Amino acid sequence: MGITGLSKLIADICPQAIKESEMKSYFGRTVAIDASMSIYQFMIAIRNRDQMMSNDEGNTTSHLVGLFYRTIKLMADGIKPVYVFDGKAPVMKSGELAKRSEKRAEAEAKLKEAKEAENVEEIGKFSKRLVRVTRQHNEECKKLLQLLGIPIICAPSEAEAQCAQLAKEGLVYGVATEDMDGLTFGSPRLIRHLSSGNTDKCKEFILERVLEGLNITYDQFVDLCILMGCDYCDSIKGIGGKKGLDLIKEHGSIEGILKNRFKITEFIDPEIEYKEKLRDLEAKKEENSENDGENANSNEKVKEEKDEEDIKKEIKSEEGENDGENGENGKNEENGEKKQDELEVEVKQEEADSFVGDEDVSDEEKEKELNGSGDESKSNTKVSKPKKNKEKGSRESVPEDWLFKGARKLFLQPNVLANQFTEKDLKFKEIDEEGLIEFLCRENGFSEERVKSGIRRVKESKGKSSQTRIDSFFKVLPGKSPVKKEDPGKNSGKRSAPAGKNTSNKRGRKPK
Amino acid sequence: MFEARMVRGFIIKRILEAIKDLVSEASWDCSTSGMSLQAMDTSHVSLVSVSLKADGFDKYRCDRNLTLGMNLASLAQIVKAAGNDDVITIKAPDDADKITLIFEPKSETETWEYEIKLMNLDSEYLGIPETDYSVKINLPSHKFQRICRDLSQIGDSVTISAAKDGVRFSTTGDLGSGNVKLNQTASADKPDEAVTIKIEEPIILSFALKYLNHFARATALSPQVSLSLSKDVPLVVEYVIHDDDDDEIGYIRYYLAPKIEEGEE
């Protein structure tokens, strides 16, 4: 998921590319959201004890709870979301998917252990890692969004790429995601932390300013992202963000780096293929095992293993001997990712709290989360040991048969629907109140009162959305923004409410 | 070196009172011609633009252009402590990371001095095009304040319709509806209480009362307020600031994006 360390690199080198603002200021804007990723996050974050929330029939409803309340919150703030669903995954992503699957299998084993040992904390932690979004979940979410009258788009391939395309065409203001590769796909604006709790400010990454700040072209930026580590292929060991940036500037492209630094002159140019995502397979299987109730766990495990085998077979032909090579980099990357996931989960957790209130998520749960991430860092140190050794040797090694060209193609010419949508397609429709109550309350056990109050909020927001924005009338003048001073000044200035103390003892003075 | 001294310190107090709830952080741009500020509220629905001419100060010196970013809410808190008759002086060195505020009560030999840290704000400046407005209404600012306040008891937004027979401010809500009609006044002997209406083309536009109520906090700055309207552009609410001799020394202008009718959805 995303680009390893990209947000940190941007924050370090060109902080001016990040604009912090309140969620309110996105009022009246249409934003594209990667639905598949959101659903996944909801299923992790929104839980009752260590179980996902479910309806009377035992089907998961976490994703619906999350999506419903999140969407209402966005709309109440006058933000218009457009949800984009994943299509087929590029075959090149199998490597990444396999890694995730491995991770999952590992978690599965640990979960079993934990269950035997009756370690509640561990059970919670590992069962979260087993979360899987199935086609059924997707379909339910689509249904919910349609009932809410919110536009949805099914991407031919990666949702993130389609989001970026919508932003490029100016149909949406930006892409709201935590996944930094939205920028790599060319989205002019990427908004992080939109709707992640009230206190957090949204961070808006502006591609143009990123390129300006890093002083590279967009094509070079894509190469840099590949160097830093993306979902589609491995990266050169020992080269991270800063070094990568320096090398890109020096040699112009990955080819240049490989030629001059590693004396590699032959590059593989793989065909880009797409395949149905695994969860289609799975969905079928799940249907079979659905009624098994208590036994579901063991069944799932079998399924899990099968899937893993499936992917392994599929990627064998691609990665071949590369498998061994995977180790180092893969782990590092994975760790970064894990950490990020954990963080997100924590944020989401808070959000979940505020959404569903006391009834559903206890403080205990939160604590568990924190413990979980603590453990995470421990295991981090474990893995990072070999990395240190590597650094001592300071050897950089290029993955054999490196498929960077394929990754580049995926970023530069992603499989998206271009110029196919108009503003009409992204229009909001009437909310289907009856349908929502039927779907959420009758079928999925939501409290009718809450759903109704949610619907009321959406209706109120419709009135709000007829308010226009002042900056749609007056154009922002370029270049008049003040020269940045050194960072410390900025921080100290921002944090300390400067005057408060000074005044407090003198404020009582009576005017003469 | 920047130094600006205002004998009628209450002007500065009132300006800050009039903008602090709308924009919490903003930058003052100081040049030889005066001090100005432009900022949008956090939800980007309205824009406030303040200008104080160099002539309006009793002493004004600005060696090079400065941008003073600050937290207006905190600044307002401090300046609130100054007496209405205090002389207020703002000072900053050229490469400032803070400014100094000095209050001198007229009758006493004392000075109050505050140093305020500046902030580096990533502000966006909007270009406001010259516009010929179809309707221009001048009315006593307290009357405008009252219209906004009273109508907001009924509804969230006000519809301003101007036609030959006068200007109508109307609102509807769950409770019922409210309607205020203004006609041009005839008498010229009380200019502050006059209502003048210039209409080139009749208009009907709706605006959020919440913001108008924010704007009305500038009432103390000027006895008269002017509203300028045209179809499909933001409303301008302007308070002109005068000195003792009734010369114009600056203004505070609010721009508010209109509400558009349902059906666009």
Side-chain angles (χ1 to χ4, degrees):
Chain A
M1 298 234 150
I3 307 295
T4 317
L6 180 58
S7 62
K8 193 177 174 296
L9 182 81
I10 294 174
D12 286 349
I13 295 184
C14 49
Q16 70 273 19
I18 308 174
K19 201 171 92 183
E20 285 194 3
S21 48
E22 281 172 48
M23 192 169 152
K24 262 199 277 177
S25 68
Y26 290 100
F27 163 96
R29 304 273 199 209
T30 311
V31 294
I33 296 174
D34 177 347
S36 310
M37 195 178 125
S38 309
I39 296 169
Y40 180 72
Q41 287 171 341
F42 293 140
M43 292 179 73
I44 292 177
I46 300 177
R47 293 182 158 236
N48 187 11
R49 304 275 147 77
D50 49 324
Q51 294 293 310
M52 277 188 255
M53 303 187 54
S54 56
N55 59 13
D56 293 343
E57 283 155 39
N59 292 330
T60 306
T61 54
S62 286
H63 55 302
L64 296 174
V65 175
L67 192 63
F68 182 66
Y69 287 105
R70 149 89 63 103
T71 307
I72 282 175
K73 198 173 161 205
L74 287 173
M75 291 179 80
D77 270 325
I79 298 166
K80 300 174 187 169
V82 173
Y83 285 91
V84 181
F85 286 82
D86 264 334
K88 296 175 181 177
V91 173
M92 283 187 68
K93 207 173 176 175
S94 326
E96 171 70 21
L97 295 178
K99 272 184 223 157
R100 288 183 201 168
S101 196
E102 261 169 48
K103 216 164 81 182
R104 194 169 280 142
E106 197 186 305
E108 184 101 35
K110 285 198 178 149
L111 176 63
K112 205 179 159 198
E113 256 173 55
K115 276 196 174 151
E116 274 162 17
E118 289 178 22
N119 184 339
V120 187
E121 280 176 24
E122 297 273 296
I123 292 175
K125 182 171 143 197
F126 290 115
S127 67
K128 268 177 201 167
R129 299 227 189 117
L130 293 177
V131 166
R132 219 158 231 236
V133 180
T134 67
R135 167 169 280 192
Q136 195 199 345
H137 295 143
N138 255 358
E139 291 307 320
E140 285 168 351
C141 288
K142 281 182 195 168
K143 186 174 175 192
L144 172 61
L145 291 170
Q146 272 160 352
L147 289 171
L148 281 166
I150 287 170
I152 52 176
I153 283 177
C154 297
S157 178
E158 298 269 71
E160 208 65 58
Q162 184 67 52
C163 289
Q165 180 63 33
L166 294 174
K168 274 192 246 176
E169 289 174 27
L171 288 169
V172 299
Y173 173 77
V175 180
T177 177
E178 303 304 315
D179 219 345
M180 289 299 288
D181 57 12
L183 283 180
T184 323
F185 280 117
S187 173
R189 288 191 196 82
L190 186 151
I191 308 155
R192 273 191 146 185
H193 311 320
L194 189 74
S195 80
S196 62
N198 288 325
T199 46
D200 275 23
K201 281 203 168 178
C202 306
K203 279 190 176 163
E204 184 176 322
F205 291 77
I206 301 154
L207 181 60
E208 202 189 330
R209 291 205 210 157
V210 169
L211 299 180
E212 228 174 73
L214 299 178
N215 194 19
I216 51 177
T217 64
Y218 171 61
D219 288 359
Q220 288 173 330
F221 176 68
V222 171
D223 275 12
L224 174 65
C225 291
I226 296 169
L227 276 180
M228 292 176 77
C230 64
D231 289 351
Y232 302 124
C233 63
D234 290 316
S235 53
I236 301 178
K237 267 180 251 169
I239 294 184
K242 285 198 175 141
K243 199 162 186 184
L245 179 61
D246 292 343
L247 289 174
I248 287 282
K249 279 186 186 164
E250 191 181 335
H251 304 295
S253 65
I254 293 183
E255 280 94 338
I257 297 172
L258 291 179
K259 266 184 210 154
N260 298 321
R261 200 173 168 95
F262 300 99
K263 313 286 173 236
I264 297 173
T265 49
E266 276 178 37
F267 315 115
I268 300 173
D269 195 358
E271 285 292 312
I272 302 297
E273 290 171 57
Y274 297 90
K275 65 170 168 51
E276 285 295 328
K277 270 204 164 178
L278 286 165
R279 62 168 170 279
D280 300 337
L281 267 166
E282 245 173 71
K284 273 179 215 149
K285 279 184 202 160
E286 196 160 86
E287 268 163 33
N288 297 335
S289 63
E290 216 166 42
N291 298 326
D292 287 359
E294 288 283 318
N295 292 331
N297 257 325
S298 56
N299 271 341
E300 231 167 53
K301 198 183 169 192
V302 177
K303 207 171 56 200
E304 204 83 46
E305 277 164 7
K306 266 190 200 159
D307 288 339
E308 204 190 323
E309 272 170 31
D310 281 349
I311 333 166
K312 278 202 171 151
K313 264 179 220 159
E314 280 185 64
I315 52 162
K316 269 255 158 80
S317 50
E318 274 221 28
E319 300 225 327
E321 311 106 87
N322 242 4
D323 266 358
E325 204 73 23
N326 245 344
E328 242 347 88
N329 252 322
K331 267 182 197 157
N332 288 341
E333 187 183 323
E334 226 178 303
N335 261 324
E337 181 200 323
K338 254 189 219 163
K339 253 188 165 170
Q340 199 193 338
D341 273 357
E342 290 284 340
L343 276 175
E344 271 166 31
V345 168
E346 273 180 52
V347 173
K348 288 288 136 49
Q349 193 70 41
E350 278 172 36
E351 195 186 351
D353 272 349
S354 69
F355 279 159
V356 281
D358 39 18
E359 184 184 314
D360 304 309
V361 189
S362 59
D363 277 351
E364 194 189 356
E365 176 69 27
K366 234 184 192 174
E367 218 166 272
K368 237 182 270 168
E369 201 53 57
L370 289 170
N371 286 340
S373 54
D375 285 352
E376 204 61 53
S377 53
K378 265 180 228 159
S379 63
N380 263 344
T381 49
K382 235 188 262 166
V383 195
S384 61
K385 259 182 203 163
K387 186 183 153 202
K388 264 186 189 166
N389 292 340
K390 264 265 137 55
E391 270 168 15
K392 267 182 202 163
S394 118
R395 301 247 331 258
E396 291 157 3
S397 74
V398 180
E400 227 168 292
D401 300 333
W402 194 22
L403 297 172
F404 72 91
K405 273 197 153 180
R408 184 192 286 162
K409 241 190 259 175
L410 285 170
F411 281 124
L412 291 177
Q413 295 126 26
N415 183 7
V416 291
L417 297 168
N419 299 318
Q420 291 212 358
F421 299 103
T422 58
E423 276 177 25
K424 254 190 191 164
D425 298 309
L426 305 183
K427 276 250 164 89
F428 282 68
K429 298 190 191 81
E430 278 300 304
I431 188 164
D432 181 350
E433 206 170 328
E434 287 294 303
L436 267 178
I437 290 172
E438 173 65 31
F439 179 58
L440 290 178
C441 306
R442 310 266 147 71
E443 289 173 31
N444 287 296
F446 277 49
S447 129
E448 194 162 325
E449 204 179 307
R450 286 188 182 183
V451 171
K452 276 189 173 156
S453 92
I455 293 172
R456 208 163 42 240
R457 281 177 70 189
V458 172
K459 283 196 166 162
E460 273 168 24
S461 79
K462 295 251 160 143
K464 239 183 179 179
S465 71
S466 63
Q467 171 70 59
T468 51
R469 296 174 66 93
I470 195 87
D471 48 8
S472 60
F473 294 97
F474 302 144
K475 288 271 139 51
V476 175
L477 294 178
K480 218 195 149 191
S481 64
V483 189
K484 288 265 160 187
K485 281 176 202 156
E486 286 149 38
D487 263 344
K490 186 191 172 188
N491 288 338
S492 62
K494 265 216 162 142
R495 292 278 146 76
S496 59
K501 270 184 189 167
N502 282 352
T503 35
S504 55
N505 40 1
K506 289 171 187 169
R507 208 184 298 155
R509 183 174 77 98
K510 280 183 190 139
K512 296 284 141 71
Chain B
M1 177 73 184
F2 172 80
E3 185 176 351
R5 179 180 160 92
M6 181 78 90
V7 172
R8 297 160 80 220
F10 63 87
I11 289 182
I12 291 175
K13 284 181 66 162
R14 287 174 184 171
I15 288 174
L16 289 172
E17 282 301 309
I19 57 177
K20 72 171 167 70
D21 291 329
L22 206 56
V23 285
S24 56
E25 293 169 354
S27 297
W28 286 98
D29 293 305
C30 308
S31 68
T32 45
S33 58
M35 290 178 81
S36 65
L37 173 148
Q38 192 207 67
M40 279 183 279
D41 72 290
T42 45
S43 48
H44 293 206
V45 172
S46 66
L47 176 97
V48 56
S49 166
V50 183
S51 166
L52 274 175
K53 287 187 203 165
D55 304 345
F57 292 92
D58 301 280
K59 182 179 172 191
Y60 189 89
R61 178 182 161 194
C62 183
D63 299 341
R64 52 173 275 245
N65 291 359
L66 275 181
T67 301
L68 310 174
M70 52 187 96
N71 182 317
L72 294 179
S74 316
L75 183 71
Q77 277 291 11
I78 294 172
V79 174
K80 208 175 173 181
N84 266 339
D85 299 329
D86 285 11
V87 177
I88 297 180
T89 307
I90 307 162
K91 273 186 185 173
D94 274 347
D95 196 17
D97 63 350
K98 52 185 134 191
I99 57 162
T100 308
L101 276 179
I102 303 160
F103 307 154
E104 298 163 83
K106 252 182 188 159
S107 53
E108 287 174 50
T109 51
E110 61 185 69
T111 52
W112 297 74
E113 210 173 300
Y114 298 90
E115 271 191 350
I116 295 155
K117 283 183 193 150
L118 294 175
M119 306 160 69
N120 222 322
L121 298 174
D122 181 25
S123 38
E124 287 171 320
Y125 289 81
L126 299 182
I128 300 162
E130 287 282 320
T131 310
D132 291 325
Y133 289 94
S134 335
V135 173
K136 192 164 182 187
I137 309 158
N138 284 296
L139 70 158
S141 39
H142 64 84
K143 191 161 282 175
F144 177 66
Q145 184 181 38
R146 198 180 143 201
I147 291 170
C148 297
R149 194 182 54 214
D150 293 356
L151 290 184
S152 61
Q153 302 298 322
I154 306 269
D156 296 331
S157 58
V158 60
T159 302
I160 304 178
S161 42
K164 277 205 180 93
D165 60 335
V167 182
R168 203 183 287 273
F169 297 83
S170 50
T171 185
T172 43
D174 295 339
L175 195 70
S177 63
N179 213 315
V180 180
K181 195 173 171 235
L182 290 183
N183 289 320
Q184 182 141 340
T185 47
S187 69
D189 45 320
K190 274 190 190 163
D192 285 355
E193 292 299 312
V195 176
T196 54
I197 302 165
K198 277 182 208 147
I199 297 175
E200 276 163 29
E201 227 179 295
I203 50 108
I204 299 181
L205 282 167
S206 292
F207 300 95
L209 278 165
K210 187 180 113 188
Y211 292 94
L212 294 177
N213 277 318
H214 274 300
F215 302 170
R217 302 215 171 125
T219 299
L221 276 168
S222 179
Q224 282 261 317
V225 58
S226 77
L227 314 180
S228 307
L229 303 104
S230 267
K231 194 172 181 290
D232 297 333
V233 299
L235 157 79
V236 190
V237 178
E238 182 182 42
Y239 295 86
V240 176
I241 304 165
H242 297 273
D243 64 9
D244 280 337
D245 307 324
D246 221 26
D247 286 332
E248 186 184 326
I249 59 164
Y251 60 78
I252 179 161
R253 278 182 201 149
Y254 300 95
Y255 298 82
L256 178 60
K259 285 197 155 193
I260 44 169
E261 292 306 314
E262 290 295 325
E264 183 264 357
E265 286 291 317

